Amino acid sequence: MVTPILTKNQSLVLDALAHAEAPLSAYTILDKLRDHGFRAPLQVYRALEKLQEFGLVHRLESLNAFVACACREDHDHTHHHHGVTMFAICEGCGQVTEFHDTGMEERLALLVKKQHFKTEKTTIEIRGHCQNCV
Amino acid sequence: MVTPILTKNQSLVLDALAHAEAPLSAYTILDKLRDHGFRAPLQVYRALEKLQEFGLVHRLESLNAFVACACREDHDHTHHHHGVTMFAICEGCGQVTEFHDTGMEERLALLVKKQHFKTEKTTIEIRGHCQNCV
DNA sequence: TCAATTGCGTAATGCTATAACGTGTGTCAT
DNA sequence: ATGACACACGTTATAGCATTACGCAATTGA
């Protein structure tokens, strides 16, 4: 999918996430954007929904929070990846690292195939501590 | 860990989950157990917390719901597994299949090690459709 | 032009989870 | 025995996350 033009609300939400050090909850985003006219949770959730469709934002299920996709740091989009995304979530500093591995994807695909299961969305989240947080 | 003796509340919650066809939310469990004296969410959450510690119950992060561990169906506990647990969650019938794979575990361990990350808890949930639900 | 689609704003509501009390019970070292 | 502690429990209130329902405005395209 080619990156679509974002609406004002979508841009605001994406910027908030992109500039954050850690995942943000929808309500935290709402608070950050009150000065920009945001008044209700739905404004945030609607923007998040679209941004997730576009692959620009990920939802972290184990945190009920959201992060900007790492591909945003890759301005040439040379690394933009559409397979399974994995997250390492540090309980210490809150930082989230996104990573990918085709080997994992293949192995997982094989496992679900054996069960005759049709995958639609895969969630892989590792909670723990990063190098700096012991 | 040897399976500890469960309290009354813990047994009730575990039974509710074990007899369910699909994952249950904490509030659904509460409703099912009102006739047994349950009145407040905390009674459910406290039991769930312990049951998760004991490895008898899993939380599904992408559903905000809970399932009895598959090891309960294995009365000799010969298959009781303490590594990474993966779940295939059918959007059609709601059924959840628990599965394990040491190859995945090893590969994942390798990947996080490369990032100098210390894993504490791993969540792997596959959303999709099972064989019966197309 | 009319219909369909999409995004937006607002209010209300529902679902999920925890905080902060206090009570009772059992263990166990003193 | 008694005091200290740990633990399970019960209740109320509150916090945090997400959606339903309504209506309006702008855009698109048959």
Side-chain angles (χ1 to χ4, degrees):
Chain A
M1 182 201 296
V2 71
T3 302
I5 297 170
L6 300 183
T7 68
K8 184 156 174 293
N9 283 4
Q10 288 161 14
S11 297
L12 287 167
V13 169
L14 182 55
D15 277 5
L17 286 173
H19 295 133
E21 300 269 315
L24 301 180
S25 78
Y27 278 74
T28 304
I29 296 172
L30 174 58
D31 286 338
K32 283 183 182 293
L33 295 181
R34 285 200 190 277
D35 295 345
H36 295 272
F38 276 53
R39 309 250 124 248
L42 208 49
Q43 296 174 282
V44 178
Y45 282 109
R46 286 204 273 232
L48 286 171
E49 187 179 8
K50 286 299 178 187
L51 292 168
Q52 285 175 266
E53 276 177 30
F54 303 154
L56 298 174
V57 161
H58 298 290
R59 174 186 171 79
L60 297 174
E61 301 289 351
S62 69
L63 293 179
N64 294 331
F66 304 83
V67 286
C69 176
C71 73
R72 298 249 322 148
E73 293 155 17
D74 166 26
H75 293 204
D76 291 340
H77 293 216
T78 45
H79 296 117
H80 200 172
H81 189 280
H82 291 288
V84 175
T85 302
M86 301 182 278
F87 302 93
I89 303 167
C90 177
E91 313 268 7
C93 59
Q95 199 179 83
V96 172
T97 306
E98 180 178 335
F99 61 104
H100 303 272
D101 182 73
T102 53
M104 286 282 291
E105 287 175 30
E106 285 161 17
R107 178 151 206 127
L108 202 50
L110 212 70
L111 284 170
V112 301
K113 186 160 192 177
K114 254 198 307 206
Q115 305 176 40
H116 306 100
F117 192 87
K118 173 82 170 54
T119 297
E120 268 137 39
K121 183 170 191 309
T122 301
T123 298
I124 302 184
E125 298 177 15
I126 322 281
R127 306 284 292 266
H129 284 88
C130 73
Q131 192 170 14
N132 298 325
C133 298
V134 178
Chain B
M1 185 200 296
V2 71
T3 303
I5 296 170
L6 300 182
T7 68
K8 184 157 174 292
N9 284 4
Q10 288 160 14
S11 296
L12 286 167
V13 169
L14 182 54
D15 277 6
L17 287 172
H19 295 132
E21 299 270 315
L24 300 179
S25 76
Y27 279 74
T28 304
I29 296 171
L30 174 57
D31 286 339
K32 283 185 183 293
L33 295 181
R34 286 202 189 277
D35 294 346
H36 294 272
F38 275 54
R39 308 249 130 252
L42 209 48
Q43 296 175 280
V44 178
Y45 282 108
R46 287 204 271 232
L48 285 171
E49 187 180 7
K50 286 299 178 186
L51 292 168
Q52 285 175 266
E53 277 177 30
F54 302 155
L56 298 174
V57 161
H58 298 291
R59 173 186 172 80
L60 297 173
E61 302 289 353
S62 68
L63 293 179
N64 293 331
F66 303 83
V67 286
C69 176
C71 74
R72 298 244 328 144
E73 293 155 16
D74 167 25
H75 293 202
D76 290 341
H77 293 215
T78 45
H79 297 116
H80 200 172
H81 190 281
H82 291 289
V84 175
T85 302
M86 302 182 279
F87 302 93
I89 302 168
C90 177
E91 313 267 7
C93 58
Q95 199 178 83
V96 172
T97 306
E98 180 178 335
F99 61 104
H100 304 271
D101 181 73
T102 51
M104 286 282 291
E105 288 175 30
E106 284 161 18
R107 180 152 203 126
L108 201 50
L110 212 69
L111 285 169
V112 301
K113 185 158 192 177
K114 252 198 309 206
Q115 304 176 42
H116 306 101
F117 192 87
K118 172 83 170 53
T119 297
E120 267 136 40
K121 184 171 190 309
T122 301
T123 298
I124 303 184
E125 298 177 16
I126 324 281
R127 306 285 292 264
H129 284 87
C130 73
Q131 192 170 13
N132 298 326
C133 298
V134 177

